[in-house]
Amino acid sequence: MSLKTTLFKVLNSKIFQGILIANIFAFLIIGIQSSLAPEDTGILVFSEFVIIPMLMGIITAWFLKDMEIRGKQITGYSILNGLIAILMSFFFLGEGFICLLIVSPLIFGFIISGAFIGRAMFKKRNQKLNISIVSLLVGIFIVDSLSDHHHENMVSDELLIHASPEEVWKHVVAFDPISQKENYWLFKIGMPSPMATTVSEHRLGANRKCIFSNGYIFDEKIVKFDINKNLIFDIVDQPKDPEIMGHIDIKRGEFILKDNGNGTTTLIGNSWYKLHVFPTWYYDLWAESITRNVHFRVMEHIKLLSER
Amino acid sequence: MFSFVVKRVGFLKDIPLFAIIFDSLMRFWMFLTKPELLDWIDDLEENVTRMHGTTIGIHKYGGTEFNYMGREFAHVHSNGLLDILLNTELKNSLMTEGKIKDHHVFKNSGWISFYLQNKQDVGYACYLLHKAYDRIKQKQDSMQLSPFVCRLQSGV
């Protein structure tokens, strides 16, 4: 069979058409939605990760509706559909590898669900039901796109250090580079982790810099400097990195040192962040996990330096 | 993992789509790690669709649902867990064979659970599905006949 014939066959196959049209549809919708947004807020709404993948699955199922196709094949084509969408996001939307890894369960879960919902819908041949389901999804998409999205959260962690608050304080304001191995799986596969912190002066209003493993620097300003007790810093500038950093803004950090009166100190680390990606029930799990691991990487290092 | 989710966060199943999405993720995982399981599930689907009056659909708690005249008689989750509606007598007699278990959630009911673990299990699963089909068919058919029989008995 010649290449031309093979190409013609592929282009004419319902499977190819289903996957192609589903992906074109998704990127058109995302393009239209971004162009209609009043300002470039960088916010990615719930519908982009839930409704669009589900509609992609339904579109593919519509192309496959007259074919005798088994569930395993539908699953395979849905995974291919999702992979293409993820690859296109990597190349055309500039998303990072880890960011796409985080989003992939949503994409695959909803595309596969959409494909099976579509199969059930088109088997029934009930046009009213089909139109109702699709209209409902489109309605949710429009309402969600036009709604305000704002989500801020705070993560708090604490660690017992066998040293006095005076000793701990020396390593809280600034600390030498962290040499311990990464133990959080996302850090191991390339997500930037905190490496060191420098400070211009030990006083209120001083500039602090938090340096990450890939060289990125978070510029911070000390807004509370209560020696041996409390340090609060606002993040004034952070890199727009495709690996998650564009999707979450760290707003403020805090260290509280509680003197336990027995030569030990309880070190509390707090961080405030703002999410730019929705749904929060999914991304907050990741954001909390990442923030918590950033805390513990820094706090374990402070513990090590203080107990030395 | 499945048992953990059912036990610990089973209450989330009432959130629309939650269970379906969870099942889709299991299906995704099985496609990558044990693709033959999806073949066995497809074999079950084909077997059921050959039975007269049956349809397949999406189960509200995720998976494929098998119906006779619109009434569910079994469903299979994408990890190979097949739940079948029998009656207590049939269930007790089959339990002695040692292959089936109480339903993973509804212990004291006519429901049973059977895990598809290898290709040979498909045959036994089909046998169980036939039992469930015969039972529901008989029940449904007698229900459809009963008004007619009543009318005959009362001479109306």
Side-chain angles (χ1 to χ4, degrees):
Chain A
M1 202 188 298
S2 73
L3 184 68
K4 203 175 167 184
T5 324
T6 314
L7 195 66
F8 184 76
K9 263 195 161 178
V10 168
L11 289 173
N12 271 301
S13 86
K14 289 280 179 193
I15 298 158
F16 176 80
Q17 289 171 358
I19 292 173
L20 182 74
I21 300 296
N23 274 280
I24 290 174
F25 162 82
F27 276 81
L28 266 179
I29 295 292
I30 290 173
I32 292 168
Q33 194 196 30
S34 326
S35 62
L36 291 179
E39 53 190 291
D40 184 21
T41 51
I43 286 176
L44 296 170
V45 298
F46 152 87
S47 302
E48 283 165 295
F49 303 106
V50 173
I51 306 292
I52 291 181
M54 195 170 269
L55 284 170
M56 286 174 73
I58 293 175
I59 290 170
T60 311
W62 188 82
F63 278 88
L64 305 178
K65 70 183 192 303
D66 297 323
M67 294 169 73
E68 281 298 320
I69 201 156
R70 284 162 69 95
K72 185 185 174 185
Q73 287 171 289
I74 293 176
T75 312
Y77 296 138
S78 301
I79 293 171
L80 183 63
N81 212 351
L83 277 176
I84 292 171
I86 286 170
L87 277 175
M88 282 171 67
S89 304
F90 180 80
F91 289 113
F92 299 114
L93 301 180
E95 296 293 348
F97 161 71
I98 292 168
C99 171
L100 291 169
L101 188 73
I102 288 172
V103 80
S104 58
L106 277 185
I107 303 288
F108 289 123
F110 282 94
I111 287 185
I112 294 171
S113 299
F116 279 89
I117 289 171
R119 179 172 80 154
M121 277 165 62
F122 301 126
K123 252 188 193 154
K124 285 194 172 172
R125 299 192 186 279
N126 182 341
Q127 286 307 322
K128 272 187 191 167
L129 177 73
N130 297 350
I131 291 167
S132 306
I133 292 173
V134 173
S135 306
L136 178 70
L137 293 176
V138 172
I140 294 171
F141 183 86
I142 293 169
V143 171
D144 183 39
S145 304
L146 297 174
S147 306
D148 276 340
H149 291 82
H150 185 89
H151 180 76
E152 288 191 11
N153 196 13
M154 189 265 259
V155 175
S156 183
D157 292 297
E158 60 177 64
L159 191 71
L160 182 71
I161 299 177
H162 295 276
S164 65
E166 294 76 21
E167 187 58 39
V168 176
W169 180 259
K170 287 182 201 165
H171 311 290
V172 160
V173 183
F175 52 81
D176 296 335
I178 302 173
S179 53
Q180 289 99 314
K181 271 188 172 178
E182 315 275 12
N183 53 12
Y184 180 48
W185 72 276
L186 279 176
F187 293 156
K188 282 183 187 171
I189 63 165
M191 171 169 276
S193 64
M195 282 303 289
T197 297
T198 60
V199 70
S200 59
E201 288 170 273
H202 282 71
R203 64 164 182 84
L204 184 71
N207 294 320
R208 197 170 178 263
K209 284 183 191 296
C210 185
I211 303 152
F212 275 71
S213 54
N214 61 350
Y216 280 141
I217 295 171
F218 281 65
D219 289 315
E220 301 162 354
K221 193 176 187 71
I222 296 175
V223 294
K224 188 167 184 188
F225 194 81
D226 193 355
I227 296 171
N228 301 337
K229 285 182 183 160
N230 190 201
L231 177 80
I232 302 180
F233 48 88
D234 282 345
I235 286 85
V236 289
D237 191 31
Q238 64 180 49
K240 288 287 177 200
D241 179 68
E243 297 295 10
I244 217 165
M245 299 302 181
H247 304 312
I248 181 172
D249 278 347
I250 312 292
K251 312 279 284 181
R252 170 174 274 199
E254 178 180 33
F255 285 113
I256 300 169
L257 285 72
K258 270 172 52 180
D259 188 353
N260 296 327
N262 57 359
T264 68
T265 304
T266 301
L267 178 64
I268 301 169
N270 296 327
S271 290
W272 286 259
Y273 62 81
K274 183 181 174 187
L275 272 185
H276 293 277
V277 280
F278 296 82
T280 49
W281 53 258
Y282 181 74
Y283 289 110
D284 231 9
L285 293 176
W286 290 93
E288 277 192 32
S289 166
I290 293 164
T291 310
R292 191 143 278 147
N293 280 282
V294 167
H295 279 177
F296 278 114
R297 183 153 172 81
V298 170
M299 286 160 67
E300 294 279 1
H301 183 62
I302 293 171
K303 181 181 164 79
L304 190 85
L305 295 175
S306 307
E307 290 178 356
R308 209 179 259 171
Chain B
M1 175 68 177
F2 180 79
S3 308
F4 174 81
V5 171
V6 170
K7 274 182 194 157
R8 302 284 172 187
V9 291
F11 61 93
L12 294 174
K13 70 182 185 297
D14 294 320
I15 296 173
L17 288 176
F18 180 86
I20 293 173
I21 304 302
F22 178 69
D23 192 82
S24 295
L25 288 171
M26 280 200 305
R27 180 168 270 275
F28 173 61
W29 183 246
M30 289 303 163
F31 186 88
L32 302 179
T33 58
K34 198 178 177 184
E36 64 277 15
L37 177 69
L38 301 185
D39 283 322
W40 305 338
I41 292 173
D42 287 337
D43 291 344
L44 292 187
E45 281 185 18
E46 281 175 6
N47 191 283
V48 170
T49 48
R50 280 198 292 269
M51 299 175 193
H52 179 71
T54 56
T55 52
I56 59 166
I58 296 178
H59 186 60
K60 62 179 174 178
Y61 298 143
T64 306
E65 182 176 292
F66 304 128
N67 305 306
Y68 172 73
M69 298 294 187
R71 297 214 38 189
E72 182 192 352
F73 65 92
H75 59 259
V76 59
H77 299 286
S78 295
N79 59 343
L81 178 64
L82 176 65
D83 294 327
I84 302 177
L85 179 60
L86 303 170
N87 56 34
T88 324
E89 277 171 48
L90 196 53
K91 175 181 171 176
N92 291 338
S93 72
L94 287 167
M95 290 276 266
T96 56
E97 293 177 23
K99 288 184 176 176
I100 60 162
K101 288 179 181 168
D102 259 328
H103 185 269
H104 59 107
V105 179
F106 308 115
K107 305 280 180 205
N108 300 314
S109 68
W111 283 92
I112 57 119
S113 288
F114 177 67
Y115 261 106
L116 291 174
Q117 280 166 334
N118 51 53
K119 177 80 178 155
Q120 287 70 41
D121 288 339
V122 177
Y124 191 70
C126 289
Y127 162 76
L128 293 172
L129 285 168
H130 274 281
K131 288 264 183 205
Y133 171 77
D134 291 341
R135 181 191 157 273
I136 198 162
K137 187 173 183 292
Q138 200 176 24
K139 202 175 165 188
Q140 289 280 92
D141 293 350
S142 65
M143 275 169 70
Q144 280 173 349
L145 275 176
S146 58
F148 178 69
V149 172
C150 285
R151 260 184 274 156
L152 271 182
Q153 283 173 346
S154 61
V156 181

